[in-house]
Amino acid sequence: MTRAQVVVTRRPPGAVVEMLRAVAEVWVFPENRAIPRAELLARAPDADGLYCMLTERIDAEFLDAAGRLTAISQMAVGVDNIDLAACTARGIPVGYTPDVLTETTADTAFGLLIAAARRFREGFEEVVEGRWGEWDPLALVGRDIAGSTLGIVGLGRIGQAIARRGAGFGMRMLYTKRRRDRRAEEVLGVEYRTLRELLAEADHVVVVASFHPGTHHLIDRDALAAMKPTATLVNAARGPVVDTDALVEALAGGTIAAAGLDVTDPEPIPADHPLVALPNCFIVPHIGSATVRTRIRMAERAAANLVAALEGRQMPYCANPEVYDA
Ligand code: DGY
């Protein structure tokens, strides 16, 4: 019997290749960069399984080229780069990696909140540029985290992990999500608000809503105007959830005090982009889940998803489980 062929778009950490080789022939894009589109399309016709990263666009063009494809597994929890409906229509399950990155990503979001609200970037730049003068009672005063009001936009797994951190900081916590979650309210002590109410009431707003057409520019000019002028905005979701031009205006004009971003739009953001020049904007390059342990867990969870599919079992973590209803 011929063995299944798997295309891996970039070498992942952990034992992924060994796990996949146990059930299939495996081709790994040999360079340490995102696979070029032309190479991905050229490999598509031979692939029974695809192991991919969030840098690949998995759309109808790719799926049309991948006539043999029976399963896709992505090493990420977000799958907004994948046309899920098109995969479902073709009967292709899509694996993703929830849970294993929740705590690490919540740490990053909370770190960004502290860094932005407490003006770490300006302080760091003073030090490295030799501008650290004598102690000054009013220098670089920021806003408190402990005891303040935190607004969480999107109370999924990561939002709930952020709420647990907020509880440790003695914060009052508000949340908004599509459906009110009374169990989370009970367990975490969070209070439901509409987005507009939350933006007006929170001292700090952390956005972790998943990205889809309905959350594109969820935080737009009006949303930013609804926030307190002393507020911090953190985006640990996907760049386009926040309107970048509106954010530049809001940070430059004092509509809000600071921002901490793990994701941007565009991404990567060019070094000469106006957002990067703003001293009250602290940006890191999409490293929310970037710890050694978590990246290995994500990589191996994605491999386990693909192995299951290639063995004819249901993927343990499937982003379009309705594919199995047909
Ligand atoms: C994801 O998994 O979607 C993150 O953005 C990368 O960890």
Side-chain angles (χ1 to χ4, degrees):
M1 207 174 89
T2 53
R3 299 188 89 212
Q5 305 287 321
V6 166
V7 167
V8 179
T9 60
R10 189 168 187 159
R11 181 164 292 278
V16 169
V17 175
E18 293 77 359
M19 289 168 75
L20 295 175
R21 285 218 165 107
V23 296
E25 295 302 317
V26 180
W27 177 84
V28 184
F29 179 58
E31 296 169 43
N32 188 22
R33 61 181 177 125
I35 189 170
R37 178 81 178 164
E39 178 82 45
L40 180 66
L41 291 176
R43 293 277 161 188
D46 297 326
D48 298 295
L50 177 74
Y51 184 105
C52 62
M53 306 287 154
L54 53 78
T55 38
E56 281 79 68
R57 201 174 70 251
I58 305 301
D59 55 7
E61 183 192 24
F62 170 80
L63 295 169
D64 286 345
R68 286 170 39 176
L69 197 67
T70 58
I72 297 174
S73 188
Q74 173 152 289
M75 188 190 140
V77 69
V79 288
D80 49 285
N81 58 311
I82 300 179
D83 185 340
L84 277 188
C87 292
T88 307
R90 288 165 169 82
I92 299 174
V94 176
Y96 73 139
T97 64
D99 300 334
V100 284
L101 48 64
T102 298
E103 300 300 334
T104 304
T105 308
D107 282 349
T108 306
F110 222 85
L112 284 169
L113 171 58
I114 297 173
R118 294 295 308 278
R119 305 175 61 179
F120 281 7
R121 170 179 171 166
E122 291 161 88
F124 179 72
E125 285 174 353
E126 252 186 32
V127 175
V128 296
E129 290 166 13
R131 291 185 284 109
W132 183 3
E134 61 195 2
W135 189 84
D136 170 351
L138 291 181
L140 293 174
V141 288
R143 304 285 165 184
D144 278 312
I145 306 298
S148 66
T149 299
L150 176 64
I152 304 171
V153 178
L155 198 73
R157 297 176 189 83
I158 297 169
Q160 294 189 20
I162 290 168
R164 289 194 291 275
R165 284 154 181 76
F169 277 69
M171 300 176 95
R172 184 170 153 248
M173 288 173 300
L174 315 176
Y175 79 99
T176 194
K177 72 184 284 190
R178 264 183 296 185
R179 248 174 273 126
R180 189 168 171 176
D181 186 341
R182 289 182 197 274
R183 189 176 144 68
E185 288 173 24
E186 230 171 79
V187 174
L188 298 166
V190 292
E191 299 167 38
Y192 175 79
R193 294 286 186 280
T194 65
L195 177 62
R196 282 308 144 111
E197 289 167 348
L198 177 147
L199 294 170
E201 218 176 312
D203 296 313
H204 308 290
V205 175
V206 178
V207 181
V208 278
S210 58
F211 178 54
H212 51 76
T215 55
H216 183 262
H217 287 188
L218 183 69
I219 306 298
D220 59 8
R221 196 163 274 107
D222 288 350
L224 290 160
M227 290 172 66
K228 297 180 182 179
T230 50
T232 311
L233 175 74
V234 170
N235 186 3
R238 285 290 186 262
V241 175
V242 175
D243 176 344
T244 300
D245 294 341
L247 181 60
V248 169
E249 274 173 35
L251 287 169
T255 305
I256 65 169
L261 309 175
D262 181 43
V263 288
T264 57
D265 179 25
E267 191 174 306
I269 194 150
D272 61 356
H273 191 285
L275 193 63
V276 178
L278 290 166
N280 51 350
C281 188
F282 188 93
I283 309 177
V284 292
H286 203 150
I287 56 165
S289 62
T291 66
V292 174
R293 185 176 71 157
T294 292
R295 284 288 162 84
I296 291 174
R297 286 178 165 181
M298 290 166 67
E300 294 182 350
R301 175 151 291 185
N305 279 332
L306 195 51
V307 168
L310 293 172
E311 288 181 338
R313 293 180 286 117
Q314 286 205 7
M315 283 183 175
Y317 299 92
C318 183
N320 58 341
E322 65 277 11
V323 78
Y324 293 117
D325 296 339

